[in-house]
Amino acid sequence: MKAAIIVEAGKPPVYGDFKEPAAGDGEVMIRVVAAALSPVVKSRASGRHYSSAGSLPFVVGIDGVGRLEDGSRVYFALPQAPFGSMAEKTVVRVAQCIALPDALDDIKAAALANPGMSAWAAMQERAKLVAGETVLINGATGSAGRLAVQIAKYLGAKKVIATGRNKQALQTLQTIGADVVIPLDDDKQAMEEVFKQQFAQGIDVVVDYLWGQSAELLLIAAAKAGKEAVPVRFVQVGSVSGEDINLPSAVLRSSSIVLMGSGIGSIPPQRLFKSIGEVLHAAVPGGFDIAVETTPLSAVAENWAKDANMPRLVFTMA
C-alpha cells in the first residue's frame, strides 16, 4: 500500500510502499480517507515528542477518518505501530474508533478532531469548566486556539478572553465568541499589567497553548491580582513559545492557582476518546469553524514543512 513513511530520524516522510496491516484480535482494518497534519504528528515523527515510539521505519499520523469493512464512517486514533494514519490502510483497536455524525463531512472531521479534543478535554476533563465562568485562551490564533474560543462559548463560558501575537487574526476571534482580545508583545511590564487587570475582574480557567513568557506572566499576574483564595485552574496544553518558564515559588505559595497539564498521559485514553466523540458530535450544532487546506498524500514531502496550525492541512488518500 502507499503511505507516508519515516525512514530516517529527523527527516521528512517519503511517499512510498509499505507492508499492508492485518487486523488482530480486538482490532479493525480501516481504509483511510483523510488524515490531518498537526504539531503533535510532526513532533512524534521527529522523535521529539514524549509519546514517540522510536523504531524505524514507520508510517506517520496519529488519527484520521476512514471506512470500516462494512462501509461505515469512523474517526480513528492511535493506530497500532508501525502503522499510522497517513496510509491507504491502517489498523486500530475497536475502542479507538468513533462513529461520525452524518452531517459532519470527512475533511472537517479529520481537521478538527485533534485540536478540538485538546480544547474540550482541557476544559471538561481537567478544568471542569462550569457554565457562567470566565476562560482565558492563551495562544488563540492557531487552529486549536480558535476552536478553544468557540468551544468555551459552546460549553457555557460567560466571558472568553483571547491572546495572541497576530493582531489581525485576534480581531477575527471577536466574530466567533471572544469577548476580549489581548495582543501579546515583548514588553513584559505592560503585559503583566494588562493581565492583572483581567484577573482582578475574575478569571476562572486559563487554557495555555504557548507556555514560555506569556504563560509565566499570566501566572504571576494571577497570583498578584486574582481574588484571594479563589482558585484559577491553569491548564497547560502546548508549548509553541518555549518548553521552559522561570516561575517564582511565591506565585504558588501566595495564591490558590491550580496548575495542571492536559494531553496523552494526563487523561486516561478512554476519557480522551470520549472528549473526541463529544467534540465531533458538537461540531455541527455548535457551528465550529476551522480553516482547512487539502492535498493528496502523494505530495506529503513537499507539504511537510508547512505550518500545521493555520490552516489545518489535511492529506487525502484519493
Side-chain angles (χ1 to χ4, degrees):
M1 67 174 183
K2 295 298 184 182
I5 311 159
I6 295 292
V7 295
E8 185 178 350
K11 299 291 185 180
V14 298
Y15 181 73
D17 293 311
F18 200 80
K19 64 181 179 181
E20 289 200 8
D25 291 341
E27 298 175 345
V28 289
M29 177 81 73
I30 294 177
R31 185 171 295 277
V32 183
V33 174
L37 181 63
S38 63
V40 68
V41 168
K42 284 189 172 185
S43 184
R44 281 170 61 104
S46 71
R48 295 192 304 267
H49 195 267
Y50 63 86
S51 66
S52 298
S55 58
L56 297 169
F58 65 90
V59 177
V60 297
I62 63 169
D63 66 345
V65 169
R67 303 286 184 272
L68 299 179
E69 291 182 344
D70 64 4
S72 55
R73 301 167 63 239
V74 295
Y75 165 84
F76 65 90
L78 302 178
Q80 298 292 89
F83 303 103
S85 61
M86 293 185 185
E88 292 177 315
K89 297 178 182 179
T90 195
V91 289
V92 301
R93 299 197 63 79
V94 174
Q96 293 162 200
C97 293
I98 298 169
L100 289 176
D102 293 338
L104 183 61
D105 69 74
D106 294 337
I107 301 299
K108 188 171 184 179
L112 69 78
N114 182 272
M117 175 274 292
S118 75
W120 194 282
M123 289 183 234
Q124 291 286 79
E125 293 290 333
R126 301 296 279 155
K128 307 296 184 185
L129 178 67
V130 176
E133 293 187 315
T134 294
V135 178
L136 185 147
I137 310 297
N138 190 36
T141 55
S143 293
R146 285 180 62 86
L147 280 171
V149 169
Q150 299 170 75
I151 288 169
K153 278 294 187 179
Y154 180 82
L155 293 175
K158 175 185 67 176
K159 179 180 177 182
V160 176
I161 305 162
T163 78
R165 285 191 174 273
N166 187 323
K167 294 182 180 180
Q168 184 177 358
L170 267 179
Q171 296 308 313
T172 67
L173 295 177
Q174 294 180 304
T175 67
I176 59 171
D179 300 288
V180 176
V181 295
I182 301 174
L184 298 175
D185 59 40
D186 295 322
D187 188 335
K188 294 177 66 174
Q189 184 174 352
M191 288 306 309
E192 184 180 326
E193 287 304 316
V194 172
F195 291 155
K196 284 166 64 177
Q197 291 171 15
Q198 293 300 324
F199 279 107
Q201 296 175 37
I203 295 174
D204 302 289
V205 173
V206 176
V207 178
D208 171 49
Y209 287 96
L210 300 181
W211 207 229
Q213 178 177 283
S214 60
E216 181 180 314
L217 293 174
L218 280 166
L219 287 162
I220 291 171
K224 290 181 177 180
K227 293 180 173 59
E228 186 175 353
V230 177
V232 174
R233 289 105 74 198
F234 191 106
V235 189
Q236 212 297 300
V237 180
S239 53
V240 174
S241 294
E243 295 293 335
D244 303 300
I245 65 171
N246 182 21
L247 186 65
S249 60
V251 166
L252 299 180
R253 292 198 307 273
S254 65
S255 71
S256 56
I257 292 171
V258 179
L259 183 58
M260 67 190 89
S262 182
I264 299 171
S266 64
I267 301 171
Q270 67 271 23
R271 301 298 298 179
L272 281 176
F273 284 110
K274 179 175 182 291
S275 294
I276 295 169
E278 288 171 343
V279 78
L280 289 173
H281 282 81
V284 173
F288 297 161
D289 174 65
I290 183 169
V292 181
E293 177 185 350
T294 60
T295 192
L297 185 64
S298 57
V300 64
E302 53 264 46
N303 284 278
W304 188 255
K306 283 187 175 181
D307 185 350
N309 274 313
M310 283 292 288
R312 182 68 71 178
L313 184 63
V314 175
F315 291 106
T316 58
M317 306 307 133

